[in-house]
């Protein structure tokens, strides 16, 4: 009764349609399965048939009422489910009893099922959730679920098959079956129609609800954002009444002027405004009141510390806006921006670090000079000066010291300029010099040579003793036919060419340089991919012990076979690698490869020799070079004494503090250290005192003259070198031996080892093992004898 009152108190067509469809379907099954045959059986008494029919109609009617109650919205706890099962069990028990009684079996089955029915009903009544059955939802949503759609569709089809059962094919049975099928179909179609309409209503309601929620959220966010912007913005917001007196001032005013908000409220702004700007404020205020259009004006205001700040003010009439009711002034402090604009106008012309002209200004000066000199029959010359290895220096000692180097370099260039010359900093480590000259080659190059000499003088910056060298490219316009950009491009090409062939000097632009520079650029670009594509390889040239004739060591030499350019000489790609900074990556690859190869030779039993690999100046300036060498040795698992690091003597000329530190660190790893091209560095012998070298390699320029016995002077020089090395406990290696007379002379002078085409050319790694085995057999023979 409680459920009936709570759930069926309102007219619910959808619940009746569900109940009708389900009850009619169940009755149709019951009709074709039993009742039609029972009623048409002439052996059954008429009163029994009538009583059974009435009873079944009452049972199914009761079932329809139960379904009507259960199909309505409400809570469906365990008590509800137990009560529903009890009701269904009651109907099944009665129908089963009716069928059993009609067949003469009595109503035992009904009596058997009755305890289950009453037990379920009792459990539902006393279950803790019984009170929730009568609770209705706040919003009853009747949704068209996938299950309901599939079930309803099948229910539309099934009655047609059931109606065709044998018990419903003739007479009264067929009429009742068709009536029931029609009722089911009509109820389902009407129910699906109402569900679709309800679904659309729900969708529309959901869309409207979501739109309302979004609008409410947006309004709330906008309100919070407005409050946050106004209260926390760096710009000042003022609301003025019709007389121009502030009724609201945002807190940002205190940050800008130092005065509190209370100092402005209820008081004319004239007291804080610059007297020359007050008329502009009044005019702007009147225009806003009269025409309603926003006005912009820049004014000066005074701060509490008696300073002047520049404000950009936008005045808007919001007298008729709810919640505002005044003239709104948005004021932005633009003092810093105006100062910055002034600085930028200066920066457009000058380099901020060196205070020289920048590149754009310099090009303008070059263009102006070309135009003027075309009338005076004089020539316009532009030199581009590039500092050598500045990038490595910058990374090694830091950008702060690097900036000081650039400032000092700019000062040295200025000191060596002639009257009328113009200097600029073009970019990072590149400077430009503009000169007007007569057509005299010596006059053209001499000023630049003087500048380069001045730059190369030692300097002490930040506690570092440094020597910076530079290379210059020079381009000339003799008839006014070039533009400033073209002349600058020619000078850039000349300095690139000078970097290739005349580093440390000045080179005059020639037309054919363009082709050569383009080739160098192509080599540079292709070199970036050579290591990854395994185009680089190492070959090994043996060094011979002059006394025994056996191989004492190997020197690793790089080779590059480019798929497009073919075999490229190390004399070409090594300098390119140094200029582009790829030498560090390239050197790391070479070192790893050498160490791995030594490990392979060790495993094959070839151990009685060392292998040398070159390190460039750029690599030695790299802070990570010591770690790189140590990692290569450790990863390969070799004895450090099997590895020799060769350093070209020219690297040591400057006695650079950074290189000195790196050499000492590498020496401490236990590797051998060799000076390559000894005697060609034009330096003092101070570095021989500072560093402990194991090997001194005498350059070929000192070896070739020894073939002539008459060159006693050359022999004395070579002997002095060998004696100096031995005095320092170092081994001497003579490079570039190609004749037996050279070998004999070196042997007589006491040279230890020799290297050159007379013995071996650089050998591919696949053939080195055979050469080493032959050398080892010679050693065994010597020991045996």
């Amino acid at each position: 009764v409680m459920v009936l009152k709570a759930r069926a108190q309102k007219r619910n067509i959808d619940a009746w349609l569900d109940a009708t469809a389900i009850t009619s379907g169940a009755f149709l099954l019951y009709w074709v399965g039993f009742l039609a045959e029972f009623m048409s059986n002439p052996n059954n008494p008429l009163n029994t048939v009538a009583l059974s029919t009435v009873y079944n109609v009452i049972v199914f009617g009761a079932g329809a009422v139960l379904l009507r109650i259960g199909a309505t919205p409400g809570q469906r706890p365990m008590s509800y489910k137990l009560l529903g099962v009890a009701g269904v069990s009651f109907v099944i028990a009665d129908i089963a009893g009716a069928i059993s009684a009609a067949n003469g079996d009595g109503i035992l089955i009904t009596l058997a099922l009755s305890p289950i029915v009453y037990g379920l009903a009792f459990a539902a009544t006393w279950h803790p959730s019984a009170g929730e059955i009568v609770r209705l939802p706040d919003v009853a949503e009747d949704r068209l679920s996938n299950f309901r759609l599939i079930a309803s569709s099948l229910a539309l089809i099934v009655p047609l098959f059931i109606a065709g059962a044998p018990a419903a094919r003739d007479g009264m049975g067929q009429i009742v079956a068709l009536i029931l099928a029609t009722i089911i179909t009509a109820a389902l179609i009407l129910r699906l129609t109402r569900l679709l309409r309800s679904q659309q209503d729900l969708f529309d309601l959901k869309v409207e609800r979501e739109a309302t929620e979004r609008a409410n959220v947006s309004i709330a966010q906008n309100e919070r954002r407005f409050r946050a912007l106004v209260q926390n913005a760096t710009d000042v917001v003022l609301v003025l009444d019709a007389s121009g007196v502030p009724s609201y001032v945002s807190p940002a005013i205190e940050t800008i002027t130092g005065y509190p908000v209370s100092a402005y409220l209820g008081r004319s702004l004239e007291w804080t405004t610059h007297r020359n700007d007050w008329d502009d404020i009044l005019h702007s205020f009147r225009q806003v009141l009269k025409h309603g259009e926003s006005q912009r004006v820049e004014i000066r205001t005074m701060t509490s510390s008696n300073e002047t700040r520049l404000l950009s003010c936008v005045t808007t009439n919001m007298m008729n806006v709810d919640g505002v009711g005044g003239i709104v002034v948005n004021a932005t402090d633009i003092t810093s921006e105006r100062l910055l604009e002034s600085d930028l106008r200066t920066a457009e012309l000058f380099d901020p670090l060196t205070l020289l002209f920048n590149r754009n200004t310099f090009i303008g000066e070059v263009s102006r000079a070309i135009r003027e000199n075309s009338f005076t029959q004089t020539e316009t010359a532009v030199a581009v000066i590039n500092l050598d290895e500045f990038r490595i220096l910058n990374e090694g000692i830091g950008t702060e010291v690097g900036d000081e180097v650039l400032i000092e370099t700019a000062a040295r260039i200025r000191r060596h300029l002639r009257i009328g010359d113009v200097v600029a900093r073009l970019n990072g480590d590149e400077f430009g010099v503009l000169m007007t000259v007569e057509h005299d080659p010596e006059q053209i190059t001499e000023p630049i040579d003087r500048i380069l000499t001045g730059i190369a003088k030692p300097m002490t910056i930040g506690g570092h003793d440094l020597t910076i060298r530079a290379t210059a490219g020079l381009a000339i316009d003799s008839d006014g036919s070039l533009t400033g950009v073209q002349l600058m491009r020619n000078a850039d090409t000349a300095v690139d060419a000078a970097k290739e062939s005349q580093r440390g000097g000045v080179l005059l632009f020639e037309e054919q340089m363009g082709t050569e520079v383009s080739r160098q650029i192509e080599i540079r670009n292709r070199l970036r991919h050579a290591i990854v594509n395994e185009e680089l390889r190492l070959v090994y040239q043996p060094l011979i012990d002059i006394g025994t004739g056996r191989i004492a060591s190997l020197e690793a030499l790089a080779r590059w076979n480019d798929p497009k350019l073919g075999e490229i000489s190390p004399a070409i790609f090594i300098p390119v690698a140094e200029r582009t900074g790829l030498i560090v990556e390239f050197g790391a690859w070479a070192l790893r490869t050498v160490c791995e190869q030594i490990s392979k030779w060790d495993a094959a039993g070839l151990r009685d020799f060392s292998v040398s690999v070159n390190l460039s100046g750029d690599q030695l300036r790299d802070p990570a070079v010591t770690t790189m060498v140590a990692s290569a040795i450790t990863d390969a698992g070799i004895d450090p004494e099997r590895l020799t690091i060769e350093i070209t003597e020219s690297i040591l000329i400057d006695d650079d503090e950074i290189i000195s530190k790196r050499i000492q660190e590498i020496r401490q790893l236990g590797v051998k250290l060799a000076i390559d091209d000894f005697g060609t560095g034009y330096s003092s012998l101070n570095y021989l005192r500072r560093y402990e070298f194991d090997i001194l390699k005498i350059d070929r320029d000192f070896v070739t003259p020894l073939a002539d016995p008459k060159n006693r002077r050359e022999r004395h020089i070579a002997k002095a070198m060998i004696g100096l090395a031995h005095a320092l406990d170092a081994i001497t290696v003579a490079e570039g031996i190609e004749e037996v007379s050279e070998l004999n002379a070196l042997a007589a002078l006491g040279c230890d080892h020799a290297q050159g085409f007379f013995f071996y050319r650089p050998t591919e790694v696949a053939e080195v093992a055979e050469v080493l085995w032959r050398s080892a057999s010679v050693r065994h023979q010597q020991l045996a004898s």
Side-chain angles (χ1 to χ4, degrees):
V1 174
M2 291 172 60
V3 174
L4 179 64
K5 289 182 178 180
R7 293 177 176 259
Q9 57 184 340
K10 296 181 180 180
R11 185 172 62 89
N12 193 323
I13 297 177
D14 294 325
W16 279 117
L17 289 173
D18 289 338
T20 301
I22 294 171
T23 305
S24 299
F27 190 71
L28 177 60
L29 289 171
Y30 182 59
W31 173 262
V32 300
F34 167 73
L35 192 58
E37 183 179 356
F38 175 78
M39 293 181 65
S40 60
N41 189 345
N43 297 324
N44 294 328
L46 183 61
N47 60 341
T48 301
V49 171
L51 181 62
S52 178
T53 301
V54 172
Y55 179 77
N56 284 302
V57 170
I58 293 172
V59 169
F60 276 95
V65 173
L66 289 175
L67 287 173
R68 158 67 180 87
I69 298 171
T72 53
Q75 299 295 323
R76 286 173 170 77
M78 180 57 69
S79 177
Y80 170 85
K81 296 174 182 178
L82 291 172
L83 193 61
V85 173
V88 172
S89 299
F90 169 74
V91 174
I92 293 174
D94 273 2
I95 294 174
I99 296 174
S100 178
N103 292 327
D105 297 329
I107 59 173
L108 291 177
I109 190 170
T110 301
L111 297 175
L113 291 175
S114 294
I116 297 175
V117 174
Y118 289 109
L120 289 171
F122 180 80
T125 304
W126 290 97
H127 194 272
S129 62
E132 298 180 12
I133 299 179
V134 296
R135 287 173 53 194
L136 301 180
D138 295 334
V139 179
E141 295 185 353
D142 197 9
R143 297 185 178 276
L144 180 59
S145 63
N146 292 332
F147 173 77
R148 185 189 289 269
L149 183 62
I150 295 171
S152 300
S153 300
L154 292 175
L156 286 170
I157 301 173
V158 171
L160 300 178
F161 292 97
I162 296 175
R169 289 180 180 172
D170 54 6
M172 187 65 177
Q174 184 178 26
I175 294 172
V176 173
L178 288 175
I179 292 172
L180 290 173
T182 302
I183 292 172
I184 294 170
T185 302
L188 288 173
I189 291 175
L190 183 59
R191 184 70 175 102
L192 285 173
T193 302
R194 291 178 61 82
L195 276 172
L196 289 172
R197 186 182 302 164
S198 174
Q199 192 73 11
Q200 182 62 43
D201 292 340
L202 287 174
F203 178 77
D204 294 341
L205 180 62
K206 180 181 179 181
V207 171
E208 182 179 355
R209 186 186 303 131
E210 290 177 351
T212 302
E213 290 177 356
R214 285 196 301 268
N216 292 335
V217 170
S218 178
I219 291 171
Q221 289 177 342
N222 288 338
E223 290 179 352
R224 289 194 299 270
R225 189 180 297 114
F226 174 77
R227 286 194 297 270
L229 287 174
V230 171
Q231 294 294 326
N232 302 313
T234 56
D235 291 351
V236 178
V237 178
L238 302 93
V239 179
L240 312 180
D241 59 22
S243 61
V245 174
S247 59
Y248 171 82
V249 179
S250 65
I253 194 70
E254 186 171 351
T255 303
I256 295 175
T257 68
Y259 289 111
V261 171
S262 58
Y264 292 88
L265 296 177
R267 183 181 181 186
S268 172
L269 295 175
E270 185 175 3
W271 68 276
T272 189
T273 304
H274 194 282
R275 61 178 181 273
N276 293 336
D277 296 340
W278 181 243
D279 290 339
D280 293 336
I281 292 179
L282 292 177
H283 176 75
S284 173
F285 188 79
R286 294 189 188 105
Q287 290 297 313
V288 170
L289 283 176
K290 182 177 180 181
H291 302 291
E293 296 180 357
S294 297
Q295 298 288 317
R296 181 183 296 274
V297 63
E298 292 184 4
I299 64 168
R300 287 164 291 180
T301 186
M302 303 304 296
T303 68
S304 59
S305 57
N306 206 30
E307 295 179 354
T308 301
R309 307 296 296 179
L310 183 63
L311 302 180
S312 175
C313 301
V314 177
T315 308
T316 306
N317 189 346
M318 302 184 72
M319 299 289 290
N320 298 324
V321 176
D322 293 339
V324 180
I327 304 297
V328 176
V329 179
N330 294 91
T332 304
D333 185 358
I334 60 172
T335 309
S336 299
E337 284 80 351
R338 288 291 183 264
L339 293 175
L340 179 61
E341 288 175 5
S342 177
D343 292 341
L344 289 176
R345 282 193 292 269
T346 302
E348 288 177 359
L349 302 175
F350 298 97
D351 168 53
L353 179 65
T354 62
L355 301 182
L356 301 178
F357 281 146
N358 59 26
R359 186 181 188 89
N360 289 336
T361 307
F362 185 71
I363 291 176
E365 291 295 310
V366 173
S367 300
R368 179 190 57 78
I370 290 174
R371 291 192 300 270
E372 292 178 357
N373 293 341
S374 65
F375 292 101
T376 59
Q377 303 300 311
T378 53
E379 297 178 336
T380 304
V382 169
V384 173
I385 301 171
N386 187 275
L387 303 186
D388 297 337
E389 300 178 351
F390 180 76
R391 178 185 56 82
I392 302 298
L393 180 143
N394 215 30
E395 294 176 356
I397 61 179
T399 56
E400 292 184 0
V401 176
D403 288 346
E404 292 298 325
V405 168
L406 293 173
I407 292 171
E408 175 61 21
T409 301
R412 293 185 178 192
I413 294 174
R414 280 197 300 262
R415 284 198 294 268
H416 290 88
L417 292 179
R418 306 169 307 172
I419 296 176
D421 292 345
V422 177
V423 62
R425 183 188 176 201
L426 304 180
N427 52 47
D429 61 350
E430 201 165 68
F431 297 85
V433 176
L434 169 64
M435 303 177 292
T436 299
V437 297
E438 301 291 341
H439 189 64
D440 180 353
E442 184 176 347
Q443 182 191 5
I444 294 171
T445 58
E446 190 275 333
I448 305 304
D449 285 329
R450 190 169 63 250
I451 290 173
L452 296 182
T453 302
I455 293 174
K457 291 181 179 180
M459 63 177 71
T460 300
I461 302 220
H464 299 275
D465 294 329
L466 305 172
T467 300
I468 307 298
R469 286 181 168 79
T471 302
L474 190 62
I476 299 173
D477 175 77
S478 56
D479 56 5
S481 60
L482 298 177
T483 64
V485 174
Q486 290 171 334
L487 190 57
M488 283 287 296
R489 188 184 300 121
N490 290 346
D492 285 332
T493 301
V495 78
D496 287 339
K499 289 280 188 179
E500 301 289 341
S501 61
Q502 199 170 329
R503 180 171 289 211
V506 56
L507 194 62
L508 188 62
F509 172 78
E510 297 177 3
E511 290 296 335
Q512 64 269 23
M513 285 182 180
T515 302
E516 180 61 25
V517 170
S518 297
R519 173 177 167 78
Q520 293 296 326
I521 292 174
E522 183 177 16
I523 291 175
R524 179 182 63 196
N525 293 336
R526 297 186 69 82
L527 183 60
R528 296 182 185 276
H529 307 286
I531 297 177
V532 177
N533 297 336
E534 299 183 353
E535 297 168 10
L536 292 168
R537 70 187 192 281
L538 292 179
V539 296
Y540 298 86
Q541 187 174 27
L543 283 70
I544 306 302
D545 186 319
I546 295 178
T548 63
R550 67 180 181 85
I551 294 177
S553 62
L554 302 172
E555 180 180 3
L557 303 168
R559 295 292 183 267
W560 179 20
N561 186 15
D562 183 78
K564 178 181 178 182
L565 304 176
E567 194 73 28
I568 302 174
S569 169
I572 294 176
F573 70 79
I574 294 296
V576 171
E578 291 177 340
R579 285 193 304 275
T580 58
L582 291 173
I583 192 65
V584 175
E585 180 181 356
F586 172 79
W589 165 81
L591 189 63
R592 288 195 308 271
T593 304
V594 165
C595 292
E596 291 169 359
Q597 189 59 54
I598 292 174
S599 179
K600 293 177 182 177
W601 284 326
D602 280 350
L606 298 169
R607 301 186 179 89
D608 194 20
F609 61 93
S610 62
V611 183
S612 62
V613 62
N614 286 277
L615 286 185
S616 69
D618 288 353
Q619 289 175 277
L620 286 173
R621 290 187 178 91
D622 183 5
V625 66
T626 307
T627 304
M628 179 192 69
V629 175
S631 298
I633 295 172
T634 303
D635 293 345
I638 64 172
D639 185 348
E641 291 189 355
R642 297 289 305 281
L643 181 66
T644 301
I645 300 296
E646 289 193 16
I647 300 171
T648 304
E649 185 187 18
S650 59
I651 297 174
L652 307 173
I653 292 176
D654 302 334
D655 199 21
D656 193 296
E657 178 184 337
I658 297 174
I659 289 181
S660 172
K661 181 181 178 182
R662 299 287 184 269
I663 290 175
Q664 292 173 359
E665 292 174 349
I666 293 173
R667 177 71 178 174
Q668 291 172 0
L669 296 176
V671 303
K672 295 179 180 178
L673 211 57
I675 299 180
D676 195 14
D677 299 333
F678 182 68
T680 62
Y682 305 104
S683 66
S684 70
L685 299 180
N686 181 50
Y687 56 82
L688 291 179
R689 179 171 56 84
R690 293 187 60 181
Y691 311 119
E692 295 182 14
F693 287 97
D694 301 284
I695 302 168
L696 267 64
K697 301 185 73 174
I698 302 173
D699 189 77
R700 173 172 168 72
D701 289 344
F702 297 96
V703 172
T704 303
L706 300 180
D708 186 355
K710 297 179 181 180
N711 285 333
R712 298 182 59 187
R713 183 182 182 85
E714 301 293 344
R715 286 173 179 263
H716 285 307
I717 294 174
K719 184 177 181 179
M721 290 182 178
I722 295 170
L724 176 62
H726 289 167
L728 296 172
D729 296 326
I731 295 173
T732 54
V733 177
E735 296 181 297
I737 295 178
E738 297 183 359
E739 299 180 9
V740 68
S741 56
E742 298 170 353
L743 176 62
N744 292 335
L746 288 164
L749 294 173
C751 186
D752 301 301
H753 298 163
Q755 177 182 7
F757 290 173
F758 179 78
F759 304 102
Y760 295 99
R761 290 181 176 272
T763 306
E764 298 291 340
V765 67
E767 304 169 5
V768 172
E770 182 180 351
V771 174
L772 291 172
W773 281 120
R774 287 202 304 266
S775 175
S777 65
V778 171
R779 174 63 172 167
H780 292 319
Q781 292 173 6
Q782 291 174 345
L783 293 174
S785 62

